Amino acid sequence: MEIKITKTQTPKVMPKESELGFGKYFSDHMFVMDYEKDKGWINPRIVPFERITLHPASTVLHYGSEIFEGLKAYRAENGDVQLFRPMENIRRMNRSAERMCLPQIDENDFLEYLTEFVRCEKDWVPHSFGTSLYLRPFMFGNDETLGVHSVARATFMIIASPSGSYYKEGINPVKIMIETEDVRTVRGGTGYAKCGGNYAASNRAGERANQKGYSQVLWLDGVERKYIEEVGAMNVMFRIGDEIVTPKLTGSILPGITRMSCIEVLKGLGYKVSERLLSVDELMGAIKSGELKEAWGCGTAAVVSPIGKLMYEDVEYVINGNEIGSITKQLYDILTGIQWGKTEDKFGWVYKI
Ligand SMILES: *Cc1c(COP(=O)(O)O)cnc(C)c1O
């Protein structure tokens, strides 16, 4: 479908790259497309960034029909703009849509819309290493009725936010608290879908952890509260002896693209990687016996984030002397090297705009 482009008459100036932070500023345009049950997706357009209006009965405001994605446009050393495995985000968004009874988007059309939008906003991709243009595709149910049913009208949008380096002050290990009261999702629920509701339900535990001085929570499974699942907005990996363990995708864990990429890189380097159930008791045993060598979170925002301190049942454990571990560092160097176009992309993960 042809994309109608309306350029802004009042372009903004991007703030200094050192002052960008995350998600505070937005580029000049946004992509919008409407869905109507009897017509399918219609009217793909790029328009000046502006507020949107919604009917007060709009489905999303009452019943939470919302899904999203997060990926980045990177500026390579030669000035090129590139994405990292965008088709994986597109496929995941369609899986999220299926779970939430929202309409799917043809993969190739989606990639074309994303590419065209990033082309339009390419001057908003900052230049320093570690900075990026964060892309946020999202979709919501937009029926103008309070009746409860799957949606007949939806809106799909992509907005872009120039973002600063996650590690402005160096890669400092984070403090994580294992949550033993609230749960994020259960098997059969929406854990594998990237939907806003998962975050709304996570906020209380996150706030309680913050009050105790921890930056994020580590979730346990929602049925037995026994198995490790993931960290707030990151998947998690542990080096136990010479095995790298990451919780397997049981349906309640978000299948991260960084997680998948870390597994492929680690296997390529010859490490033993296991996707399996990991109980909190096994993890505590490995900490006490000294077998736990490293722990890290992985997600698009941070790439990898070393875990320096872990709190469980009011006891704080220090991991690897609160230093980044060698495998964590290796993953960071390889993945950021590919993303920012500093090292050869042996995997074919980079998509040039
Ligand atoms: C997005 C997200 C991740 C990380 O996924 P990536 O594709 O690696 O960015 C992990 N957990 C949750 C809950 C998420 O929403």
Side-chain angles (χ1 to χ4, degrees):
M1 256 183 298
E2 177 112 16
I3 306 169
K4 186 167 174 257
I5 301 179
T6 312
K7 285 277 172 104
T8 180
Q9 297 303 306
T10 51
K12 294 176 281 197
V13 177
M14 181 153 79
K16 272 208 280 194
E17 294 196 3
S18 57
E19 281 158 26
L20 286 172
F22 177 74
K24 288 192 292 184
Y25 303 101
F26 295 92
S27 68
D28 278 328
H29 300 92
M30 58 191 192
F31 178 88
V32 192
M33 178 163 74
D34 309 309
Y35 174 85
E36 290 175 23
K37 199 167 188 178
D38 49 349
K39 296 187 185 145
W41 286 108
I42 51 171
N43 203 8
R45 58 202 184 271
I46 291 170
V47 295
F49 188 93
E50 62 186 352
R51 288 195 169 72
I52 57 173
T53 58
L54 292 176
H55 190 284
S58 178
T59 323
V60 64
L61 300 178
H62 302 269
Y63 307 125
S65 304
E66 194 269 353
I67 56 172
F68 65 96
E69 270 302 325
L71 71 165
K72 290 170 168 177
Y74 307 85
R75 178 81 64 185
E77 300 218 305
N78 62 4
D80 284 356
V81 170
Q82 55 193 40
L83 307 181
F84 182 74
R85 314 187 78 176
M87 215 31 135
E88 297 298 339
N89 293 91
I90 291 171
R91 294 196 182 113
R92 186 170 65 192
M93 186 142 184
N94 275 334
R95 291 198 303 271
S96 301
E98 193 278 332
R99 178 64 183 84
M100 304 297 280
C101 290
L102 284 162
Q104 314 226 346
I105 301 176
D106 176 89
E107 288 175 4
N108 294 315
D109 290 348
F110 194 147
L111 186 62
E112 186 193 320
Y113 302 145
L114 185 66
T115 308
E116 204 50 53
F117 176 62
V118 175
R119 255 186 215 132
C120 189
E121 302 304 77
K122 67 176 182 316
D123 292 344
W124 286 89
V125 183
H127 288 77
S128 349
F129 178 73
T131 65
S132 61
L133 182 63
Y134 184 79
L135 303 167
R136 169 55 60 87
F138 61 107
M139 187 195 296
F140 53 92
N142 199 6
D143 280 297
E144 299 183 346
T145 160
L146 294 175
V148 180
H149 44 66
S150 60
V151 304
R153 275 169 50 116
T155 303
F156 171 72
M157 301 180 63
I158 310 173
I159 55 176
S161 174
S163 296
S165 172
Y166 195 89
Y167 291 115
K168 252 179 28 186
E169 278 119 43
I171 310 182
N172 293 319
V174 290
K175 290 173 69 175
I176 302 283
M177 190 179 110
I178 299 182
E179 173 62 33
T180 50
E181 240 172 272
D182 288 0
V183 297
R184 194 182 81 98
T185 60
V186 291
R187 259 162 285 150
T190 56
Y192 69 89
K194 220 168 163 72
C195 64
N198 288 345
Y199 277 78
S202 301
N203 280 343
R204 184 171 74 172
E207 270 184 30
R208 283 197 298 234
N210 290 159
Q211 278 162 11
K212 291 187 178 168
Y214 293 84
S215 66
Q216 291 192 48
V217 303
L218 177 58
W219 296 105
L220 299 179
D221 78 276
V223 179
E224 298 179 76
R225 290 181 215 185
K226 180 174 170 192
Y227 298 104
I228 305 286
E229 298 236 303
E230 62 176 310
V231 181
M234 290 189 286
N235 295 111
V236 69
M237 298 189 171
F238 303 92
R239 177 185 178 190
I240 302 175
D242 57 12
E243 182 190 19
I244 293 159
V245 184
T246 190
K248 73 171 181 180
L249 302 175
T250 51
S252 51
I253 297 175
L254 200 288
I257 295 158
T258 318
R259 172 189 183 278
M260 175 168 53
S261 306
C262 285
I263 292 172
E264 288 170 49
V265 166
L266 290 168
K267 285 188 173 166
L269 292 169
Y271 290 108
K272 179 179 175 215
V273 186
S274 309
E275 296 178 61
R276 63 172 174 85
L277 293 178
L278 173 64
S279 70
V280 67
D281 289 344
E282 181 186 345
L283 183 66
M284 289 302 132
I287 290 179
K288 287 169 191 157
S289 71
E291 279 211 292
L292 182 76
K293 306 287 185 205
E294 296 179 44
W296 64 90
C298 49
T300 297
V303 189
V304 289
S305 180
I307 299 173
K309 290 180 180 160
L310 196 58
M311 153 103 131
Y312 181 56
E313 293 180 331
D314 289 321
V315 183
E316 187 179 86
Y317 302 90
V318 177
I319 300 169
N320 193 39
N322 197 29
E323 302 276 347
I324 182 171
S326 59
I327 295 180
T328 313
K329 180 74 170 58
Q330 204 176 5
L331 279 172
Y332 178 81
D333 290 340
I334 292 172
L335 289 175
T336 58
I338 295 172
Q339 290 166 335
W340 275 274
K342 283 167 172 284
T343 49
E344 191 202 345
D345 170 27
K346 278 189 296 197
F347 299 91
W349 286 340
V350 163
Y351 175 83
K352 297 226 181 270
I353 291 296

